Amino acid sequence: MNLLLKYLSSCWFLNNPSELVPPNSFMWKNVAFYLISGMIVEGLISDPADGTLEVLGRTTMAFGSVAILLLMEKKWGCFNQLYTSIFVCENFIMTLAVAAEALDYWLVLQHHIYREEIGIGIAVFLVVWYISIVSYIFRAFFSYPTSVSVIYAFGYFVMTYGIPMLLMDI
């Protein structure tokens, strides 16, 4: 639990994720949570089968993107640390997305007139926060300037969310 709290503090930019070394069991539990929570969110948004395929595509793209970045930077030994740092924070954001889905459902039941605006606002906030967290993690691991880490984080977001979503729409 202590290790999880240290990783979660990275979501608030309080801890250096490059200093954390996760055990294998923690890493695999993190991946399992990523897959399950992603399938729940995508299953609520679209068809559960399509959502499952999209989450598997996102996972593949996430591992591939992290691997390519680490190979380019010649820091392959940091693979487990980097993907665990990203996935823990992504799992946190995904948990908030599930809560946002529940809030949206409740707002629908209440016939709230600003339901769409609230949902869009929450979604934009979560995406910006997610890109900020990934940028922070990239800066911690690679000592990139802020602008470079934001560009890489945005690219990572497009690779892991945009491409699988695009492929599912084809």
Side-chain angles (χ1 to χ4, degrees), residues 9 28 34 36 64 71 93-94 101 112 114 130 158 166 168:
S9 69
W28 287 114
Y34 177 83
I36 292 167
L71 288 173
I93 297 292
M94 195 63 68
E101 289 287 335
H112 197 281
Y114 295 111
Y130 172 75
V158 169
L166 178 67
M168 292 306 297

Side-chain angles (χ1 to χ4, degrees), residues 1 3-5 7 21-31 83-85 88:
M1 186 63 144
L3 183 61
L4 177 62
L5 293 175
Y7 272 109
V21 180
N24 285 336
S25 64
F26 182 81
M27 293 183 311
W28 287 114
K29 289 174 187 173
N30 192 32
V31 171
Y83 96 78
T84 301
S85 298
V88 167

